[in-house]
Amino acid sequence: MELVTPGIGLIFWQTITFLIVLFLLGKFAWKPIMNALNDREASIENALRSAEKAKLEMEALQADNQKLLAEARLERDNILKEASVAANNMVESAKQKANEEGAKMIAQAREAIENEKRAAIAEVKNMAGALSVEIAERILRTELSDPKAQQALAQRYISEVTLN
């Protein structure tokens, strides 16, 4: 059991050696180690603060990007809507103009047909009048006393005359 239980002298010298090492470490090594640990802790804390600040800035930039993207989409939709309205207006304007031109041309054609019809009726009336005058003139030249002869003469003149 002596091997397991240390002697008083050994414990004394170990305690003295421990105290000397503790004093030397406290005097020369403890402050630099603590300063190094404090510096390391401060740099880690600064890095964490910087990372948090960068994270907040990134979130702000992403929010700005989302806002700009939404505005761009809205503007694109407005431009497309305005272009569609303008195209529809142009189509409607062209349709209306074509309808007006068509109606105008139809009115002109009807007027031309009406004028041609009036001219044809006037020509027929003039031909009928000239024919009547000619028949009357021929009848007057012939014997006015015989009604049968007048009627036969009128029938013969009518058959000779062709209407164009």
Side-chain angles (χ1 to χ4, degrees):
M1 270 285 281
E2 244 179 71
L3 288 174
V4 176
T5 340
I8 297 269
L10 181 63
I11 292 176
F12 174 76
W13 285 112
Q14 281 185 345
T15 306
I16 296 228
T17 307
F18 177 73
L19 290 175
I20 291 172
V21 169
L22 187 63
F23 174 75
L24 289 174
L25 282 176
K27 184 88 173 159
F28 297 109
W30 197 259
K31 285 183 184 180
I33 290 173
M34 288 307 290
N35 287 338
L37 287 175
N38 287 338
D39 289 345
R40 173 102 171 127
E41 186 180 343
S43 67
I44 289 173
E45 194 174 312
N46 286 338
L48 288 174
R49 270 193 244 123
S50 296
E52 186 66 29
K53 188 175 181 182
K55 181 181 174 186
L56 292 175
E57 287 177 3
M58 285 297 290
E59 288 175 357
L61 287 174
Q62 284 180 344
D64 288 344
N65 285 344
Q66 291 296 327
K67 183 179 176 185
L68 288 174
L69 187 60
E71 288 175 1
R73 285 182 181 149
L74 182 63
E75 187 174 344
R76 180 202 61 196
D77 291 343
N78 287 339
I79 289 171
L80 289 175
K81 185 177 179 181
E82 288 174 4
S84 175
V85 167
N88 288 340
N89 287 342
M90 288 175 64
V91 167
E92 287 300 320
S93 175
K95 282 182 183 178
Q96 184 179 5
K97 190 173 182 180
N99 287 339
E100 289 174 0
E101 288 292 323
K104 194 176 189 182
M105 289 175 67
I106 290 172
Q108 288 175 348
R110 285 184 180 159
E111 187 176 328
I113 290 171
E114 190 64 34
N115 288 339
E116 289 293 325
K117 182 179 170 185
R118 284 189 199 125
I121 290 173
E123 187 177 337
V124 168
K125 284 182 181 178
N126 287 340
M127 285 178 60
L131 184 60
S132 297
V133 169
E134 189 177 327
I135 290 173
E137 184 180 311
R138 287 187 183 178
I139 289 176
L140 287 177
R141 285 187 193 158
T142 60
E143 295 181 37
L144 293 176
S145 62
D146 188 16
K148 287 184 181 181
Q150 286 178 3
Q151 193 172 15
L153 185 61
Q155 288 297 327
R156 188 177 49 152
Y157 287 145
I158 289 174
S159 64
E160 288 177 4
V161 175
T162 58
L163 293 175
N164 292 339

